[in-house]
Structure formats: structure tokens, C-alpha cells
Amino acid sequence: MRYWLFKSEPSTWSWDDQVAKGDTGEEWDGVRNYQARNFMREMSVGDRGFFYHSQKAREIVGTVEVIAEAHPDSTTDDERWDCVDIRALEAAKTPLSLDEIKGDPVLSEMVLVKNSRLSVQPVTEAEWSHICKRTGLSA
């Protein structure tokens, strides 16, 4: 299993929107960055990810699971763009802000710290475990 981070502006697609989709989940569509798309192409069913609210809140608010591997993004006819489907798993008991992540020496090399604009990014197993402990999420 691999670990990821999915960023979304809450005004566009929020944690509550994701939770409302239940076990059927939703496409992680609209990604138009080649590196983020390539990360989605690497994902397998069962991989886990953090759900991150960007813009004002800038915090990890929950975990998701990949439930469908990369397939054509239904929001475009351009065959270059793929997406995966994800479903919500668990809300963070204590959301973890970007400032807290940046201030944590264990997380100083995290992609989120180095390239905060990337909408889909990998998370190491050590980062995953550490963040789960800090947020009260199941590892």
C-alpha cells in the first residue's frame, strides 16, 4: 500500500462533500497537472490518502481510500487526463495545519512543504504514521 495527499479547495469540493458520497466515493477529477496525473496513474485500489483543505484552512482533515485505479477523467474529452476514485474513511480528530506541518522536524521534507501547489502528491510511510498520530487518525 502507498500513501498520498489529495488537495482540494473546500469551496469547490470539501471533506463534507466527500463524506456525503459514502462508499460509492467520487472521481478525483479536474487535475490538469502532468505530475499529479502521473501520481494518480501509480495508485492502486486500497492505497490511502490524506484529504487536505487548501486555501484558507490549509489543513489535513481526514483520510480517504483509492477505490478505482486511474481512468479517463469524465470532466474532459482530452484523453491526456486521468483520475482515480476515492472514498472518505475517517475524519481527523484534530486537523493538522500547514503551519504545524512546516514546524514539525519529522515532516520537514514532505512534498507538501517543498511543493505546496501540487494537488496530488506522495506521502512516505513515516510521514503517514506521524501525521496519523498527531491527528488521531487510524494508521
Side-chain angles (χ1 to χ4, degrees):
M1 177 184 342
R2 294 186 65 191
Y3 303 101
W4 308 94
L5 184 137
F6 297 85
K7 289 175 59 180
S8 183
E9 298 172 2
S11 60
T12 303
W13 187 257
S14 71
W15 172 251
D16 291 338
D17 293 326
Q18 189 67 51
V19 169
K21 286 296 185 173
D23 286 340
T24 60
E26 182 71 9
E27 283 186 345
W28 197 257
D29 58 31
V31 174
R32 300 296 182 263
N33 173 285
Y34 288 108
Q35 188 175 17
R37 180 215 52 199
N38 291 343
F39 285 139
M40 288 193 289
R41 287 179 174 176
E42 294 177 24
M43 294 178 188
S44 300
V45 170
D47 282 0
R48 301 292 168 94
F50 290 119
F51 194 103
Y52 178 90
H53 277 163
S54 59
Q55 282 187 333
K56 292 182 183 175
R58 296 186 308 168
E59 61 188 2
I60 292 172
V61 295
T63 56
V64 296
E65 178 181 35
V66 175
I67 59 171
E69 292 182 6
H71 58 85
D73 183 329
S74 68
T75 65
T76 182
D77 292 329
D78 188 334
E79 60 188 39
R80 292 177 296 169
W81 304 114
D82 292 337
C83 65
V84 296
D85 295 4
I86 61 172
R87 69 179 179 101
L89 289 178
E90 182 182 7
K93 291 173 182 57
T94 306
L96 187 63
S97 73
L98 180 58
D99 288 341
E100 291 172 306
I101 291 167
K102 286 180 175 180
D104 188 326
V106 175
L107 304 174
S108 64
E109 295 300 314
M110 195 170 179
V111 175
L112 183 62
V113 172
K114 302 288 186 181
N115 187 359
S116 63
R117 295 184 53 86
L118 192 59
S119 63
V120 177
Q121 52 191 253
V123 173
T124 68
E125 188 172 354
E127 292 164 347
W128 180 267
S129 296
H130 186 73
I131 290 170
C132 285
K133 287 176 188 167
R134 290 205 50 188
T135 57
L137 289 160
S138 303

